[in-house]
Structures are given as structure tokens and as C-alpha cells.
Amino acid sequence: MTSARRPLAGGPSWRAWLIWSVAVAGYVLAVTNRSSLSAVGVDAADRFGADASTLSLFAVIQLGVYGGMQIPVGVLLDRFGSRPIMTVGMVLMALGQLGMAISPSVGIALVARVLLGAGDAAIFPGVIRLIATWFPAQRAPVMVQLTGIVGQAGQLVAVIPLAALLHATSWTITFGSIAGLGLVFAILIALVVRNHPPELERDVSINTDTGAIRVVTSTVDTGVGIRAAWAHPGTRLAFWSHFTTPFAGTAFVLLWGMPFLTVGEGRTVAEAAGILSLYVVVGMALGPIMGGLSQRLPQHRSRALVLPSVAAQAVAWAVVIAFPGPAPLWLLFALAVALAMGGPASLIAFDHARTHNPAQRLSTATGVTNAGGFLAALIAIYLIGLALDLQGAGTPDTYTLQAFRIAFLTQFPLWAIGAFFIVRERRRTLIRLGLVSPRAPR
């Protein structure tokens, strides 16, 4: 095993950087695919004659499949490695976008979103595994952060070039082009990416400082492992932190932001794209800052970072909803900045999961934590659409600013529930750690 460590001793090779670059470019495309309805929601409603609840289902089903596939993808990655699983994922996304391009009905379009969610689920875990096998273990945290930051550029592609292409050509050409690009990346990943350096026989992570070698695993335990992880209040704190922080931004940028800004607030497509772009850029900029603060304030993450980000989002939405008439542009930009805090704050949940669980249960706790954000996003996206339908404002022709305002009020109960459990589980976690004394029984 000494010879196996030698290729990494001087740092990552040019081949490691090439493989990561191709993989992370595929992740950018995956994020573009995931967000492809964000800027064309009104066009999608017109094309399929879909009401707001049905339009919500496009995002709900996609996210639901994405979340549900995380455990199966982990198992497949452990068995086959990143290269084949990422290749299949790109092909599935290409088929999904091809289905969207030629779909004549809502039913076929929903099947296409299922394929899209399943393919998307394979990409980010595959990239993370490649980082573990091709880069020194001590570089992994920085590379993971860098991957996340670069990947979010895919949202910018979905917001600006994709919408411009749609309005310059047609629905079929736009989504067919994304499908073609997906096939190109499937071939590129198959040709360039390798599971591990040729000197190694398995997917292992190597610490070049200590020489420690660890087999890379991705699976999430079931049964006893999940129950044991959930039994720790630190895992529940992580779950509720991830449940509460990102869902409003996800609902806004994934589906409802563009219709609200253009039809509800009366903004131009360019102004709306600028607001959504600011959301993405601010989120990318805040990631390293939040990560650094989380590392420096381990006992105050919830009070200093998580809950303030939730409060900022709730206050910003409350001001926008209560504003008489259409909100001024500066207020909508402020809303985008507040919502952008949710994504970086949600990553603090994984710090909780890592801190409060032993290494053999970390993947399980991470999976439980990740489920919180997806669950809240599914609920929020669907409730907003349902609220629009119940007001008789379920199509682009009937959207109104007042209807959107009432629909976005459905987010406030989710914030309240999440904040309550964050406070409760934080105290229970501190008691478990012996940092706070339990209250004496009455």
C-alpha cells in the first residue's frame, strides 16, 4: 500500500484535475437541468395547459425522485464506482429533457421529470466520490465546497441563456438542445472519468500527511442505523435545520419566482432574471463565509447563523407581501439576498450531523438530514400551487399579485414549525453533551 500512496504524495495530478473538471462541468449541467423550469414556468403552464397545482407537480415529482434515489445511488456507487453511474445519470437526464421537448401532454412530461430527477441524483454523489478517490483526504473539504460553488452556476445558465434560447426559438429546440448536451457529457464522462488512479485496485481515500487509507463508501444504512441516528438530538437538530432554512429559496428559484416576478409584480423578464441571478451569486458568495463562521462558532451555530437566516427570509417575505402595490425593485433584490442566505445556512445542518454522530453512522445521519430540506421544499412548492388554484388563479392568464401574496403565506407555518423544533432539539443536544442542565421536574 506504500506504492499506492506515492501518486498522491505531491498533491493531485493533472489527471485528477482533468477528471474533476469534467465531472464538475457535468454537475453544472445537472443543476441546469434541475432548474430548467425556473425561468420558463409561465411557458410550461401555457404549453401544457396546466394549472398551478399541476405545474407544482413537475418540481415536486422531480425533487421527490431525486431524494428517494439517494440511497439506491449510494449502493450503486459502492458497487460500480462513479464513472458508470454518472454516465447513466447523464443519459437519464438527456432522455428526460428529450421527453420534455416532444411531450404532447402533462402525463408524459411528468414521466420526463421522473427521469430527470433519477439522473440528477447520481451526479453530485458521484463527483464527491471522485474527490475522495483522486485527491488527498485533507483537501476533500475544500474541493467539496468548490464543487458546490461552481455547480450553482448551473442555475445562472437556467435563468438567463435557457430562457433567452426559448424565447428566440421554440420549446422543442430549447429542451432538445439540453438533451443533446446531456448526451455529449455522457460520452465525455465515459471517456475521461476513471473511478480511481490506475495504481489502486479499489476506491480508497488517502491522507498524504499520515498515510492513512480508508475505503470510500456511500451507502446509507437502514433499520437500526437510521433509528440510532434519529435517536440522537443532534441528528434531529440537523434535520430541522435543513428542513427550515432552504425551502423558500428552492421554491422561489426552482418554480415560482419567475411567474411571481413577471406576472405578479409586473417586472420584465430581464429584471426578473437579474433578481434570480442575484440569488444565485449571493448564495455562492455566502457559502465560504457561513462555513467559516460555523467552524468558529460550533456551540452557537443555531442561534448565530441558522435562526437568523430563517428570520431574515420571513421578514423579507412579510415586507414584500405587505407592501401596498407592486414592490419596488430594491425590495425584490433585498428579498433575493435574504432567500440566498438559506442555502449556505442549510449546509450547517451537515456540520451538526458530522459533529454528533460516530464515523460509522455519518452517512446515515447525512441522509436523514438531507431528507429534511427535500421534504420542506416539496411541501412548500405544492402548497403555493394549491393556494393559487383555490383562489381561482391557477393559470398564467389568471395569476394576480394578491393571489401570489396569499399563496406565499403558506411558507410561514413551515418556518414556525421548523424554528420551534430547532430551539427544542438544540437544548436537548446541549443537555446530551452536558453543557446545559435539564430543567428540574415540577
Side-chain angles (χ1 to χ4, degrees), residues 72-308:
V73 163
V75 174
L76 291 171
L77 282 170
D78 282 344
R79 182 166 184 178
F80 300 107
S82 295
R83 178 190 177 195
I85 303 306
M86 292 181 68
T87 301
V88 171
M90 297 305 300
V91 171
L92 288 176
M93 284 192 291
L95 291 175
Q97 294 293 36
L98 181 61
M100 288 296 292
I102 64 176
S103 173
S105 65
V106 169
I108 295 177
L110 290 175
V111 173
R113 302 309 285 186
V114 169
L115 293 174
L116 194 65
D120 187 11
I123 306 304
F124 185 69
V127 180
I128 298 305
R129 190 181 184 92
L130 289 173
I131 289 173
T133 56
W134 279 93
F135 288 81
Q138 57 268 43
R139 289 203 184 189
V142 174
M143 294 302 300
V144 170
Q145 284 282 351
L146 183 60
T147 298
I149 292 172
V150 174
Q152 294 315 302
Q155 293 185 359
L156 293 177
V157 176
V159 168
I160 301 176
L162 187 63
L165 179 62
L166 175 62
H167 296 143
T169 57
S170 68
W171 179 278
T172 301
I173 291 175
T174 299
F175 283 88
S177 299
I178 305 176
L181 195 58
L183 289 178
V184 169
F185 267 90
I187 295 171
L188 193 59
I189 288 173
L191 291 177
V192 175
V193 171
R194 293 295 181 269
N195 291 343
H196 50 250
E199 296 83 2
L200 303 176
E201 297 180 356
R202 304 182 62 184
D203 288 6
V204 296
S205 175
I206 301 174
N207 188 314
T208 55
D209 289 341
T210 65
I213 299 175
R214 179 178 62 86
V215 176
V216 178
T217 58
S218 307
T219 53
V220 177
D221 299 331
T222 56
V224 175
I226 292 177
R227 288 195 298 271
W230 185 256
H232 197 294
T235 304
R236 300 196 297 272
L237 175 60
F239 173 90
W240 287 110
S241 297
H242 202 256
F243 178 97
T244 314
T245 45
F247 72 82
T250 301
F252 192 78
V253 77
L254 202 62
L255 185 60
W256 290 118
M258 187 64 77
F260 166 70
L261 293 171
T262 54
V263 183
E265 292 285 349
R267 294 294 168 182
T268 66
V269 172
E271 288 173 332
I275 293 169
L276 293 177
S277 298
L278 179 65
Y279 166 88
V280 177
V281 172
V282 171
M284 294 168 66
L286 286 178
I289 298 173
M290 287 274 193
L293 291 174
S294 176
Q295 187 176 10
R296 294 181 181 182
L297 304 169
Q299 303 301 329
H300 304 283
R301 291 166 177 159
S302 297
R303 285 185 174 178
L305 300 173
V306 174
L307 290 175

Side-chain angles (χ1 to χ4, degrees), residues 15 20 55 83 108 132 163 217 304 341 384 436:
R15 190 175 186 184
W20 177 81
L55 192 60
R83 178 190 177 195
I108 295 177
T217 58
M341 296 174 64
I384 292 169
V436 172

